[in-house]
Amino acid sequence: MISFTSSSLSTLFRSIPWSSSFVPVRSKNYLNRPRLRNPVWFVKKTRTLHNEQFTEDNVAFLNEVKRETVLAAAQRSQSNLLQLAQGEQSGQLAQWSPGLKRTGVIAKKIGQYPLWTRDGQKIRTTLLQIIDNEVVKYIPPEEYRPAQEPRQSRNWRKPYGCLLVGAEHGDPSLFTKEYAGLFRHSGVLPKKHLCRFLISPEAQLPPGTALTASHFRVGDFVDVRGHTVDRGFQGVVKRHGFKGMPKSHGVTKTHRRPGNIGAGGGKARVWPGTRMPGHMGNRWRVLRGLQVLRINPQHNVLWVTGSNIAGSTNGLVYVYDTVLPLRRHGAKGVPAGPPPFPTALEPLPADAGDVWLDELHDFRKLSITYSAKGE
């Protein structure tokens, strides 16, 4: 039996002529895997609050400063829209064409409401409210690097940029210095929620531009992305809708059990994808091809078809143009003409009233009239 010492082994390995055909390989491949690199806006949002011992006069003064700051931000948003409208009149803005990708909006799911067509058919809809949406930052395609590279190869012919959108004003004193610094150069008050949308370079918007319900038209089709309600660990009856066993006739302790999960014989195993108990909810889900039936410009509310949009009441969802080829802008059955590009530069006035789809029954109009007897 031949024994080697550590010094003799190191001398032996140094004496071996390593060629290109024989290269040592590391066995710990997990060290070479790509890491998740979060975007720059993934920072700590809220800070630790302390008792500042402000007097009533100080609190009133701070509230007044906050109110003036919010009004100044609203005026700045209107001035940005006016500048974009002037640029459109002078021909500086790009015109919409099929294949361009607009930005989306951040909405809050506030409830459900039925609508009826003129022939009496009931349609279940979900109300989505767009609250204080403003553009925070635009990152051009050559500078934007996603946290994880997509599986498909990057489209270099038509690259997409990144538009950072914020929603719902927040108290600046409640946010950390790092999070508030994201809004420093945009002239936008710190927002409670941030989201990024991949857009075409022609659809970019300057920071501070307001996004309202007029970004969509009545009859447009949209995709809604939401976070499902976390139900925890659930059984097959609630998670997959199993019927269960009979309540009587000899059934003992198996009323809500899944039953057999596989066959025996040569392939005695559980097949992948078998519906079994497990964690339910807490997943991102997208509903595609939902139609906008009604718009309220005063409160920025959209009536969208469907009652199964992911998320709970007052939960956030992301609304953007659909990717379905038969329901995109320009397809048959979609409102004619180009959509507001890059956004609605002249939003509908707040006192204009709701905008309804032509096929719906407008309850503001009389459907039955009565006349006096003998007329």
Side-chain angles (χ1 to χ4, degrees), residues 175-225:
F175 300 121
T176 60
K177 183 178 180 181
E178 293 79 10
Y179 184 80
L182 300 174
F183 308 86
R184 182 180 307 163
H185 302 291
S186 61
V188 179
L189 288 177
K191 302 287 186 177
K192 293 183 180 180
H193 314 287
L194 289 176
C195 177
R196 67 107 177 95
F197 294 97
L198 299 182
I199 62 172
S200 302
E202 295 83 0
Q204 60 177 295
L205 293 169
T209 305
L211 301 175
T212 61
S214 302
H215 185 74
F216 302 101
R217 302 172 299 173
V218 170
D220 288 346
F221 292 91
V222 296
D223 294 344
V224 182
R225 183 172 183 261

Side-chain angles (χ1 to χ4, degrees), residues 315-326:
L316 292 181
V317 295
Y318 307 133
V319 188
Y320 48 90
D321 296 333
T322 183
V323 298
L324 299 179
L326 298 182

Side-chain angles (χ1 to χ4, degrees), residues 231-244 256-261 270-281 283 285:
R231 304 291 183 182
F233 192 94
Q234 297 295 333
V236 292
V237 175
K238 184 173 183 178
R239 190 186 186 198
H240 300 293
F242 281 20
K243 181 180 178 181
R256 298 175 65 91
R257 290 189 178 184
N260 184 24
I261 60 174
V270 179
W271 290 93
T274 302
R275 294 181 295 178
M276 298 178 64
H279 192 93
M280 181 181 177
R283 296 290 186 271
R285 292 293 180 264

Side-chain angles (χ1 to χ4, degrees), residues 127-172:
L127 279 69
L128 306 177
Q129 186 177 16
I130 303 173
I131 303 179
D132 303 332
N133 274 221
E134 290 181 341
V135 178
V136 178
K137 184 180 181 181
Y138 172 71
I139 304 176
E142 55 272 8
E143 298 180 6
Y144 175 64
R145 290 294 178 267
Q148 286 182 333
E149 289 291 339
R151 295 181 179 179
Q152 64 272 16
S153 59
R154 185 184 292 270
N155 189 357
W156 295 105
R157 293 185 179 180
K158 294 182 180 180
Y160 290 141
C162 174
L163 193 70
L164 190 63
V165 178
E168 196 170 354
H169 293 308
D171 189 352

Side-chain angles (χ1 to χ4, degrees), residues 105-113 115 125-133 211-219 222 291-305 314 317 319 348-350 353-357:
V105 296
I106 306 174
K108 180 178 289 188
K109 180 180 174 182
I110 61 176
Q112 298 181 10
Y113 194 81
L115 296 177
T125 63
T126 302
L127 279 69
L128 306 177
Q129 186 177 16
I130 303 173
I131 303 179
D132 303 332
N133 274 221
L211 301 175
T212 61
S214 302
H215 185 74
F216 302 101
R217 302 172 299 173
V218 170
V222 296
Q291 191 175 20
V292 179
L293 301 180
R294 179 179 170 185
I295 295 178
N296 182 287
Q298 181 179 2
H299 301 286
N300 285 327
V301 179
L302 303 176
W303 277 257
V304 180
T305 57
N314 295 327
V317 295
V319 188
L348 296 174
D354 294 3
V355 183
W356 297 63
L357 192 66

